Every structure is written in structure tokens, then in C-alpha cells.
Amino acid sequence: MLRNRLQRLGLVVAIGMGVSASVAGCSGAEEARPPTSSEAPADRSAEAETASGMLGDWGVLGYDADPVSNTNELLKYTDIVATGVLATIEQGEFAYADGPFRPVIARLDRVEVVQGKLAEGSDGSLYVALIAPAGAEAVARTLPIGTPVALYGRAISTETRDGVVRGIPEGQTLYGSVHPVGLVFQFQTADGPVLIWPEAAGTSVGQVLADVMPGADLKIDYDEDSYLGAVK
């Protein structure tokens, strides 16, 4: 049931790439309204860290998706490639006849467009749906405000906005990652930078967002239970 909603919302957008999601629960968090800021986590060693170890339990069990070795493979599905910094984490809500769906919505500020363009009428921020059934509070606990983010994103069709209750400003476009490796965060640890792909359950120690721009070969260490790691 959740997968049907994800597809209807456009959150599983790269259907041609063989993407499917396995998540815990089908409605996300209930009415939790998290704070829109958080303290940076304590310094952690980047050695042997996993995506789940650094981000905690967002309720995402994994993805079954075609592996991607170079970011250019994402471009034909992508409306925009951009970087930004995490500004807010909100609990969104979409109303449907079969019940509400509550994706976590991240607002990115200081957006720099690498490819494509912002949607007409954009306020300059990017609004990104995170697949995190555990809810916004779980995300806010481990994802500090100010975290650098890169997105290979696709706009969710305007038809799906009819059910929006909260989480997206009027007239703004909601984006979803085109593939599990299309959304990446850059953390800073005591040992240096580390990239984290939450939807792919993977990390790359020592790399920064500039290393995953269009044309880059991906060097991802997948968590032991990652679907992409199993098929790589």
C-alpha cells in the first residue's frame, strides 16, 4: 500500500531503473511536529561507520534497485541536480481516500543548481520528500540543520498536490530523489568528511559533494544489509 502511495506521489520516480522500496510501516509517524533546528552530533570516527549507524533508524529497511556506477546514469530521469544546506525538517501530510500519508519534507536553502533549473515561481529553496516512515523526529535527531545535501531530483507532478495538507508552501514544488543514490548528505566527523546515502544505505569516507556531481564514478561502501550492496 505504501509503495502505491510513493508512486502516486512521485517519491519512487525512477521506475525505469527498477526501483522498489521496502519500508517499515505504511503511514509514517503520526502527528509529531519536530523542532526545525538541531544540534550537530558529537564527533564520531568515520572508520567503519555505516549509514544506519550514523543516521539511526528512519524506518527504511532497504531498496531493491538497479545499481548505478556513474552519476550520468541518473540524468535522463532528473529534472534538477542541485546542492544546498538543510534548513528545516517538517512532517508533511497528504490526504487520500484510503488514509493520510505523512512524508518527511526537508527544505534546502543556499541552493546552487548544477543542472536543470528551479521550477517557475520557486522561492529559491528546494523542498525534498525523504522516505522516512519513522517520522520527522527520528530524522531531526541525527540530521543536523546546516548539513550539506546534493540531490538528483525529479519534480512530483502537480496532480498530487491536491492532497497536500501541510509541509509545502503554497505554489512550491516538491521533489523526490530519482534513485536511492540520488540523495546524499555530507557529514563532518573527527576523521574528516563522509558522504551518506540514506536511501541506498551507503557511505563514502573522505569524499565531499563535489565528488558526486554529474560524470562522477560512484565509490559507495554499502551497509551489510543493503540491497544495492548485495547486487553491486
Side-chain angles (χ1 to χ4, degrees), residues 2-3 24-25 40-41 52 56-57 66 68 73-74 86 88 130 150 159 167 194 198 211:
L2 176 59
R3 175 165 168 76
S52 58
D57 182 11
D66 293 340
V68 171
E73 298 172 50
L74 304 175
L86 182 68
T88 62
L130 307 180
E159 287 80 8
V194 56
D211 296 319

Side-chain angles (χ1 to χ4, degrees), residues 6-168:
L6 293 174
Q7 289 180 340
R8 177 166 36 179
L9 284 166
L11 302 185
V12 180
V13 293
I15 302 303
M17 301 184 76
V19 178
S20 63
S22 175
V23 296
C26 64
S27 62
E30 292 306 314
E31 296 299 324
R33 296 287 302 220
T36 56
S37 64
S38 61
E39 296 297 327
D43 285 343
R44 292 169 293 191
S45 171
E47 293 183 7
E49 284 283 14
T50 63
S52 58
M54 298 190 78
L55 293 178
D57 182 11
W58 288 10
V60 180
L61 302 179
Y63 280 84
D64 182 5
D66 293 340
V68 171
S69 60
N70 187 287
T71 54
N72 280 345
E73 298 172 50
L74 304 175
L75 296 181
K76 68 178 179 179
Y77 303 100
T78 299
D79 292 330
I80 191 169
V81 180
T83 62
V85 297
L86 182 68
T88 62
I89 299 167
E90 298 287 346
Q91 192 69 59
E93 183 174 341
F94 296 76
Y96 291 104
D98 59 350
F101 174 58
R102 301 182 178 98
V104 175
I105 298 176
R107 190 188 90 223
L108 308 185
D109 287 351
R110 291 164 52 189
V111 173
E112 296 188 12
V113 177
V114 177
Q115 186 164 317
K117 61 181 181 179
L118 292 169
E120 185 176 352
S122 170
D123 61 9
S125 296
L126 276 180
Y127 298 87
V128 183
L130 307 180
I131 302 177
E137 286 188 335
V139 174
R141 279 195 294 270
T142 56
L143 189 60
I145 298 305
T147 297
V149 186
L151 175 72
Y152 288 75
R154 189 175 181 87
I156 293 171
S157 64
T158 55
E159 287 80 8
T160 64
R161 291 185 55 83
D162 294 342
V164 174
V165 175
R166 57 184 166 92
I168 314 165

Side-chain angles (χ1 to χ4, degrees), residues 69-71 207 211-213 215-219:
S69 60
N70 187 287
T71 54
Q207 286 201 310
D211 296 319
V212 293
M213 291 297 100
D217 291 328
L218 293 173
K219 302 173 182 178

Side-chain angles (χ1 to χ4, degrees), residues 180-202:
V181 300
L183 176 69
V184 56
F185 304 126
Q186 181 181 314
F187 273 40
Q188 186 65 35
T189 74
D191 297 311
V194 56
L195 296 181
I196 305 176
W197 287 263
E199 297 173 0

